[in-house]
Amino acid sequence: MNNALLLSEKIQSGEIKIADVLNEIFSKPDEYNAFISLDKEYAFKRAGEIQKRIDSGDIMSPLSGVPIAIKDNICTADFNTTCASKMLESFRAPYNATAVERINAADMLVIGKTNMDEFAMGSTSETSYFGAVKNPLDITRSAGGSSGGSAAAVSGGFVPLALGSDTGGSVRQPAAYCSCVGLKPTYGAVSRYGLIAYASSLDTIGITGNNVKDVAALYNIISGVDKKDSTSQNCKAVNLYKSDLKGIKLALPYKMISENADSAVLSAFDNAVKRLEELGANVKEIDFTSEALLLPAYYIIASAEASSNLARYDGIRFGYRAQGDSVNDIILNSRSEGFGNEVKKRIMLGSYVLSSGYYDKYYLKALKAKNKICSEMSEIFKGFDSVIMPTSTVIAPLLDESLKNPLTMYKSDLFTVLANLCGLPGVSVPCGKFTGLQLIGKPFGEEDILNIANIFEGAKNEF
């Protein structure tokens, strides 16, 4: 059940029936609050259709018959899409996201929608209207966010693969906290059609799985150009062909890491770097001069885009509607009652930095900072294959800890926002309990970083 490719092989050979897999899934209690919705009747009906095709020899993909979970901000015609918010508690999209369409076409089996931070705003999956997600490795700790439900569904053994979204690290960070593999593809590699927008220039649909090979197989299914998304592009399929890391050059911004990572993260990361060197990689320390710009640029841009994207939730057109004596009252009451505190906070910050008199002072400067960061990364990649960092500055925090100190929560994204600001691919692989090794690659360099991750994972490191 933990290995998607192996599971599909057994289903295709007739050794296992999809119905047996579903019986195991639906017999488990969701003690981690990983799911917002599960549909047993739909799952078994769809499983029967897929099983018939497989039995007749019609194999649609290497992952045919494999169950998968979808983050609840990715539109599905057969399940509600709530964004973990009261605002969309009963919303059901009339269409599937392109990524979901491709999953269905590959005869994978969507079983439900996973819990998350409300509208993907948070780093712990505690801002959900449906309650916090718990970490399967330790239920007193956060599963990470905002795709915490997807990571918990995989780590907790419900499904071998799940889709999430990554705006500032929201796939990679929960994967690290829950000892999974998390991939954030290059911006444009996977269509965003059907992904409910948080920050449109940063959002990316990503993948969580138990191993690199499974994640690569799913990436090959969902990636590629889509006429419904003008930002999507053609990209080659990933082939995991490397057997060693000889000749691989890895950039290590160690000063930035050592000054910001806690001791547990730093210890695990140091061990990971040693193992990469033992495997043949050439690791060289670099200075990353744009470090101070990362979090300010990210949170200003993300909040500005969020305030614009979430303006559509007004209680008039769709979503939660409150009572009021006038149109203005209905809008005010609907947004006040429909959004949680973290969403309101980011909408207000975004509206502020876009307002007259502050646009040039904050938002325009953030865009210039973003350009500077991307220029520095371009220079780094002239001499290196990948940049390596921990996935998060901290190990998985205790539940409620981050909400009491939101600045600490924001700072935990320091190592992940870089990939989103520059539209680069990033992957997190476990390198210790509650932490991960992150590899950031060149644009459309998914094959490069996944090959490195696969070799590192295969070395069976003990931390």
Side-chain angles (χ1 to χ4, degrees), residues 95 252 258 281 293 325:
Y95 64 94
L252 173 61
S258 62
L293 302 176
D325 295 329

Side-chain angles (χ1 to χ4, degrees), residues 314-316 321-334:
D314 55 12
I316 303 296
R321 177 181 291 185
Q323 298 298 312
D325 295 329
S326 66
V327 172
N328 284 340
D329 284 346
I330 291 173
I331 294 173
L332 176 63
N333 294 339
S334 296

Side-chain angles (χ1 to χ4, degrees), residues 7-26:
L7 177 61
S8 185
E9 285 179 11
K10 290 182 176 180
I11 291 171
Q12 291 174 32
S13 69
E15 182 180 343
I16 296 176
K17 295 294 184 183
I18 305 173
D20 295 331
V21 178
L22 291 182
N23 281 326
E24 182 181 345
I25 291 171
F26 287 104

Side-chain angles (χ1 to χ4, degrees), residues 249-286:
K249 297 179 180 179
L250 303 177
L252 173 61
Y254 196 75
K255 183 174 182 290
M256 169 184 169
I257 294 164
S258 62
E259 290 178 351
N260 293 283
D262 71 17
S263 58
V265 170
L266 193 58
S267 176
F269 179 73
D270 286 342
N271 287 337
V273 172
K274 290 176 185 176
R275 183 52 60 93
L276 287 167
E277 291 177 322
E278 292 169 358
L279 292 168
N282 180 8
V283 181
K284 183 178 179 181
E285 289 190 26
I286 61 166

Side-chain angles (χ1 to χ4, degrees), residues 275-452:
R275 183 52 60 93
L276 287 167
E277 291 177 322
E278 292 169 358
L279 292 168
N282 180 8
V283 181
K284 183 178 179 181
E285 289 190 26
I286 61 166
D287 288 325
F288 187 71
T289 62
S290 301
E291 173 197 338
L293 302 176
L294 288 170
L295 288 175
Y298 169 75
Y299 275 103
I300 288 172
I301 293 169
S303 297
E305 294 185 16
S307 72
S308 177
N309 281 324
L310 270 63
R312 69 195 70 177
Y313 304 107
D314 55 12
I316 303 296
R317 287 166 285 190
F318 57 89
Y320 175 77
R321 177 181 291 185
Q323 298 298 312
D325 295 329
S326 66
V327 172
N328 284 340
D329 284 346
I330 291 173
I331 294 173
L332 176 63
N333 294 339
S334 296
R335 289 172 68 82
S336 297
E337 297 172 19
F339 290 136
N341 289 336
E342 185 64 30
V343 174
K344 291 175 186 175
K345 188 188 303 179
R346 298 196 191 197
I347 289 173
M348 292 174 69
L349 174 61
S351 298
Y352 177 79
V353 300
L354 289 175
S355 63
S356 177
Y358 297 100
Y359 177 90
D360 292 346
K361 187 176 181 180
Y362 294 108
Y363 184 66
L364 193 58
K365 282 186 177 179
L367 293 180
K368 290 178 179 178
K370 176 184 175 181
N371 288 336
K372 185 179 186 301
I373 294 164
C374 295
S375 295
E376 182 168 0
M377 287 299 290
S378 295
E379 287 299 313
I380 291 170
F381 282 126
K382 289 179 180 179
F384 294 93
D385 299 295
S386 175
V387 175
I388 55 172
M389 291 188 286
T391 306
S392 177
T393 60
V394 297
I395 63 170
L398 295 170
L399 292 170
D400 295 328
E401 191 176 83
S402 295
L403 294 183
K404 293 175 182 176
N405 191 351
L407 284 179
T408 300
M409 179 177 73
Y410 299 156
K411 288 178 181 178
S412 71
D413 296 335
L414 177 65
F415 300 146
T416 50
V417 297
L418 174 59
N420 299 84
L421 286 168
C422 300
L424 302 172
V427 63
S428 175
V429 287
C431 73
K433 194 171 184 180
F434 307 126
T435 188
L437 165 69
Q438 181 185 199
L439 297 148
I440 298 175
K442 301 174 184 178
F444 298 99
E446 281 81 358
E447 183 170 87
D448 294 334
I449 60 173
L450 287 173
N451 268 283
I452 299 169

Side-chain angles (χ1 to χ4, degrees), residues 222-238:
I222 67 172
S223 59
V225 71
D226 175 23
K227 65 181 181 181
K228 296 175 182 175
D229 177 6
S230 62
T231 65
S232 66
Q233 298 186 48
N234 274 319
C235 45
K236 68 176 184 177
V238 167

Side-chain angles (χ1 to χ4, degrees), residues 43-272:
F44 274 93
K45 180 182 177 182
R46 171 91 173 126
E49 297 168 356
I50 296 171
Q51 191 71 62
K52 285 181 181 178
R53 281 193 287 275
I54 291 174
D55 291 344
S56 67
D58 191 7
I59 309 300
M60 304 305 294
S61 78
L63 293 175
S64 288
V66 172
I68 186 171
I70 309 294
K71 186 176 179 180
D72 209 19
N73 62 343
I74 300 173
C75 288
T76 46
D78 297 303
F79 299 84
N80 285 354
T81 302
T82 71
C83 283
S85 177
K86 182 178 181 179
M87 182 62 77
L88 292 177
E89 184 177 6
S90 59
F91 173 70
R92 179 164 296 196
Y95 64 94
N96 286 318
T98 295
V100 175
E101 283 291 307
R102 291 176 177 176
I103 282 169
N104 288 339
D107 266 351
M108 297 184 72
L109 176 58
V110 177
I111 65 159
K113 306 295 287 292
T114 57
N115 205 352
M116 55 182 283
D117 280 306
E118 185 182 8
F119 280 99
M121 298 182 192
S123 301
T124 59
S125 292
E126 293 179 273
T127 68
S128 170
Y129 176 65
F130 301 95
V133 180
K134 299 174 184 177
N135 192 320
L137 304 181
D138 179 352
I139 61 172
T140 68
R141 293 184 179 272
S142 162
S146 62
S147 305
S150 291
V154 171
S155 180
F158 288 94
V159 288
L161 286 164
L163 286 191
S165 67
D166 194 311
T167 306
S170 294
V171 165
R172 290 160 288 156
Q173 185 237 50
Y177 287 175
C178 296
S179 287
C180 301
V181 176
L183 173 68
K184 176 239 176 253
T186 304
Y187 186 83
V190 177
S191 172
R192 288 181 298 112
Y193 179 75
L195 172 64
I196 294 180
Y198 163 18
S200 303
S201 71
L202 307 172
D203 294 341
T204 311
I205 290 179
I207 302 165
T208 302
N210 282 308
N211 61 74
V212 175
K213 288 185 174 67
D214 286 352
V215 168
L218 182 53
Y219 170 79
N220 287 341
I221 287 171
I222 67 172
S223 59
V225 71
D226 175 23
K227 65 181 181 181
K228 296 175 182 175
D229 177 6
S230 62
T231 65
S232 66
Q233 298 186 48
N234 274 319
C235 45
K236 68 176 184 177
V238 167
N239 178 21
L240 299 180
Y241 64 93
K242 286 186 178 292
S243 58
D244 59 58
L245 298 182
K246 292 177 182 176
I248 297 295
K249 297 179 180 179
L250 303 177
L252 173 61
Y254 196 75
K255 183 174 182 290
M256 169 184 169
I257 294 164
S258 62
E259 290 178 351
N260 293 283
D262 71 17
S263 58
V265 170
L266 193 58
S267 176
F269 179 73
D270 286 342
N271 287 337

